[in-house]
Amino acid sequence: MLVLSRKKGESIIIQDQIELTVLSVEGDIVKIGISAPKHVDIFRKEVYLSIQETNRESSAPVQSDLNALIDRLRGPQK
Amino acid sequence: MIIETLSWGKLEVHEEQLYHFSKGIPGFEEDTDFALVAMEDSAFWVLQSTENKNLSFLLGDPFAFYPDYEFELPSAEAEELGIASQVIVRCIITLKEKVEESTINLLAPIVLNPEELKGKQVVLHKAPYHTKHSLFQEQPVIDGKDGG
């Protein structure tokens, strides 16, 4: 991991195309501005990990669970 | 085209059901080609990898479960998918053995362009949604991170 120091308003350039700028620092919250090409997806890491994990849990649904779901939706409780 | 599926064995699918996900799906980035198969007599679809029979997702219509569901598709994603007029939005359902614990991922909908047959799981940044909303709305949110 590369570690470097930046002050408010200073930037970091990655591969000519991605620019990270420190917009403000308040206590332990740092606001970062990101300029990147449109095809580059940017995520909060914890959100992305949560989506990956949810997708893994959802892959290969079990047929019996699906049948139970369909029955439930058709049932009087819906 | 005949594809292999876990639930239905060999299945014939047509060109207009074959979607390309250029970035895959988070967690399964290596699988980029999927068939969208409507399930008969139900409000569900299966997104089945055409390369890996063990990889499939159950999709639901989010608007059927959450009529107030809405989001703005970022222009970068609309451009990436080549969306001009038509768009299909489905969300991945996480099935649980206890049916009432099943959830739907409203934070990261599957957005499809039926004209160019491109798809992407879009992560919403400013939406008030989570990865696990109850399908039955008795408990609005079970857990999962939000986008805000």
Side-chain angles (χ1 to χ4, degrees), chain B residues 10-83:
Chain B
K10 285 186 166 50
L11 183 73
E12 180 162 13
V13 293
H14 300 283
E15 292 281 314
E16 66 271 17
Q17 292 175 271
L18 299 173
Y19 284 85
H20 183 65
F21 285 61
S22 63
K23 291 175 181 164
I25 285 177
F28 303 93
E29 287 80 0
E30 64 283 3
D31 292 278
T32 55
D33 290 284
F34 291 85
L36 181 68
V37 183
M39 295 187 60
E40 277 181 34
D41 295 331
S42 81
F44 301 107
W45 290 260
V46 170
L47 191 66
Q48 168 71 51
S49 164
T50 58
E51 296 145 345
N52 176 0
K53 75 170 180 182
N54 295 314
L55 181 61
S56 66
F57 297 94
L58 177 67
L59 304 184
D61 175 354
F63 307 104
F65 293 98
Y66 287 83
D68 295 335
Y69 185 56
E70 62 178 14
F71 63 87
E72 191 172 331
L73 184 65
S75 58
E77 321 255 28
E79 201 174 293
E80 185 179 336
L81 289 167
I83 287 171

Side-chain angles (χ1 to χ4, degrees), chain A residues 37-54:
Chain A
K38 282 182 176 174
H39 67 268
V40 175
D41 291 330
I42 299 160
F43 307 106
R44 288 179 173 84
K45 184 173 179 181
E46 69 276 17
V47 172
Y48 194 69
L49 292 179
S50 168
I51 287 164
Q52 280 189 330
E53 188 192 320
T54 304

Side-chain angles (χ1 to χ4, degrees), chain B residues 53-123:
Chain B
K53 75 170 180 182
N54 295 314
L55 181 61
S56 66
F57 297 94
L58 177 67
L59 304 184
D61 175 354
F63 307 104
F65 293 98
Y66 287 83
D68 295 335
Y69 185 56
E70 62 178 14
F71 63 87
E72 191 172 331
L73 184 65
S75 58
E77 321 255 28
E79 201 174 293
E80 185 179 336
L81 289 167
I83 287 171
S85 55
Q86 293 191 53
V87 62
I88 296 173
V89 176
R90 299 285 176 258
C91 288
I92 295 179
I93 290 172
T94 309
L95 274 178
K96 290 289 164 69
E97 201 175 338
K98 284 188 180 169
V99 180
E100 56 276 13
E101 292 176 1
S102 295
T103 59
I104 184 166
N105 183 350
L106 298 182
L107 177 63
I110 301 284
V111 179
L112 303 164
N113 175 352
E115 293 171 304
E116 292 191 22
L117 297 172
K118 290 179 185 170
K120 181 177 183 177
Q121 185 172 25
V122 172
V123 180

